[in-house]
């Protein structure tokens, strides 16, 4: 009997706040640095940006000897390869994930679902509700909060009323925190979040160029956002990604294998 993996999504109906970015960063961190077995269902169909990113990276690897030898050393030390990324329509995400898992010889610890930004259709809501945990990146601005909370508050109420749901909790976290944002504003926003009884992760992610662009695996520069490598240690400092991963593992009650 195989162990059931946790289904996790970085999700919100707000676009461009980091759903796909954190799906890749956290999937890579858990798979390559924490020794967990990860799969990704890319349900932001048809663009499937995470799936396309992997294809692009594999092509780049073919002509880059530096990264090729780095990849071989990484996979040798881990005794495993990259994590699989499956492109699927959002309403078929769960069925496709179950099919995929049933055909795999190995156990998975976590399956990440990258969902589209338009949650307000039945198929996407069903997939959202089939997650075990959802993490919601939110920028500290009034507009971002209003559009995020308008969906998250009712979803959180639903969870509170029905303990038999798959979805156990929705956790918010700050992303793109600009050093110029006033402390009083952040405290005010956090008070609003508390009043609605929404859990907020301790770690806030800063606005940083590291998150902003996908450094391709060209040349030999250290890479932060990649589906083939974990975020480079030299770039982790100040990114708070390592702290966010610790917060997430605590919520999931998952013990790292490395
Ligand atoms: N903390 C951050 N600092 C700077 N840029 C960020 C940060 N988080 C996300 N971004 C950038 O914002 C853009 C949108 O992110 P993405 O993950 O594609 O959003 P979504 O999947 O929610 O639409 C990307 O260019 C991404 O690199
Ligand atoms: Mg996306």
């Amino acid at each position: 009997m195989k162990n059931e993996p946790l289904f996790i999504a970085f999700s919100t109906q707000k676009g461009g706040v980091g759903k796909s970015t954190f799906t890749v960063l956290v999937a890579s961190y858990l798979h390559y640095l924490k020794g967990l077995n990860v799969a990704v269902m890319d349900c932001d169909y048809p663009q499937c940006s995470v799936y396309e990113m992997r294809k692009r990276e594999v092509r780049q690897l073919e002509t880059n000897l530096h990264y090729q030898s780095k990849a071989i050393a990484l996979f040798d030390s881990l005794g495993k390869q990259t994590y699989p990324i499956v492109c699927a329509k959002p309403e078929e995400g769960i069925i496709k994930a179950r099919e995929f898992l049933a055909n795999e010889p190995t156990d998975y610890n976590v399956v990440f679902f990258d969902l589209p930004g338009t949650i307000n259709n039945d198929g996407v809501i069903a997939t959202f509700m089939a997650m075990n945990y959802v993490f919601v990146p939110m920028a500290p601005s009034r507009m971002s909060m209003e559009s995020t909370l308008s969906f998250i508050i009712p979803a959180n109420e639903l969870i509170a009323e029905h303990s038999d749901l798959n979805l156990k909790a929705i956790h918010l976290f700050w992303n793109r925190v600009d050093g110029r944002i006033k402390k009083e504003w952040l405290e005010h926003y956090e008070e609003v979040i508390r009043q609605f009884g929404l859990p907020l992760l301790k770690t806030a992610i800063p606005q940083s160029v590291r998150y902003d662009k996908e450094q391709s695996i060209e040349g030999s520069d250290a890479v932060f956002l990649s589906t083939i490598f974990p975020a480079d240690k030299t770039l982790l400092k100040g990114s708070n990604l390592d702290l966010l991963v610790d917060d997430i593992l605590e919520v999931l009650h998952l013990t790292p294998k490395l």
Side-chain angles (χ1 to χ4, degrees):
M1 180 69 194
K2 286 210 239 175
N3 277 333
E4 286 285 308
L6 289 171
F7 285 3
I8 310 290
F10 290 93
S11 181
T12 164
Q13 82 284 30
K14 184 109 182 65
V17 283
K19 294 185 288 289
S20 303
T21 304
F22 283 96
T23 302
V24 171
L25 284 169
V26 177
S28 292
Y29 203 108
L30 296 189
H31 191 77
Y32 303 120
L33 293 179
K34 294 287 185 187
L36 296 167
N37 274 339
V38 167
V40 172
M41 299 299 299
D42 188 346
C43 301
D44 197 359
Y45 191 90
Q47 57 271 42
C48 284
S49 66
V50 177
Y51 179 81
E52 290 300 325
M53 179 177 174
R54 165 63 63 74
K55 282 213 301 210
R56 202 162 56 240
E57 287 191 292
V58 167
R59 270 201 307 275
Q60 286 166 339
L61 206 61
E62 278 165 12
T63 54
N64 186 318
L65 291 177
H66 171 79
Y67 273 105
Q68 256 177 41
S69 58
K70 237 178 119 130
I72 291 167
L74 176 68
F75 302 156
D76 274 355
S77 73
L78 292 171
K80 66 180 182 185
Q81 303 272 321
T82 56
Y83 50 86
I85 303 173
V86 179
C87 177
K89 290 183 181 151
E91 62 275 21
E92 294 174 357
I94 299 299
I95 286 201
K96 295 277 181 205
R98 298 238 173 268
E99 272 173 24
F100 167 80
L101 291 166
N103 290 319
E104 285 288 287
T106 46
D107 272 5
Y108 283 85
N109 303 105
V110 183
V111 182
F112 288 96
F113 289 73
D114 192 22
L115 300 175
T118 35
I119 305 185
N120 58 356
N121 87 48
D122 288 349
V124 187
I125 290 180
T127 307
F128 180 97
M129 293 307 295
M131 297 297 107
N132 298 115
Y133 293 91
V134 170
F135 296 94
V136 180
M138 185 167 66
S141 74
R142 198 177 140 192
M143 243 176 67
S144 172
M145 285 206 32
E146 277 174 1
S147 72
T148 306
L149 297 184
S150 64
F151 178 77
I152 296 305
I153 290 167
N156 196 54
E157 281 170 357
L158 202 68
I159 297 176
E161 287 159 14
H162 302 271
S163 57
D164 54 337
L165 295 174
N166 281 335
L167 185 53
K168 295 303 169 212
I170 302 176
H171 290 259
L172 301 169
F173 67 97
W174 294 124
N175 183 28
R176 317 197 79 151
V177 179
D178 188 322
R180 287 168 303 185
I181 182 164
K182 289 206 183 78
K183 210 163 155 267
E184 303 88 274
W185 275 105
L186 211 54
E187 280 166 5
H188 168 69
Y189 292 147
E190 288 185 4
E191 182 53 34
V192 173
I193 292 169
R194 251 194 308 278
Q195 278 169 8
F196 284 107
L198 295 165
L200 176 70
L201 296 183
K202 290 194 290 288
T203 302
I205 301 291
Q207 172 73 26
S208 160
V209 285
R210 268 166 294 198
Y211 287 96
D212 200 11
K213 66 172 194 302
E214 182 188 321
Q215 297 104 333
S216 54
I217 45 181
E218 281 172 312
S220 58
D221 288 353
V223 66
F224 189 66
L225 177 65
S226 164
T227 71
I228 299 183
F229 298 102
D232 195 278
K233 285 206 173 62
T234 58
L235 299 172
L236 275 180
K237 204 163 181 287
S239 73
N240 289 1
L241 176 64
D242 42 354
L243 305 177
L244 182 79
V245 167
D246 288 343
D247 287 356
I248 290 173
L249 287 175
E250 198 179 317
V251 169
L252 304 181
H253 305 294
L254 268 182
T255 317
K257 305 273 159 66
L258 280 178

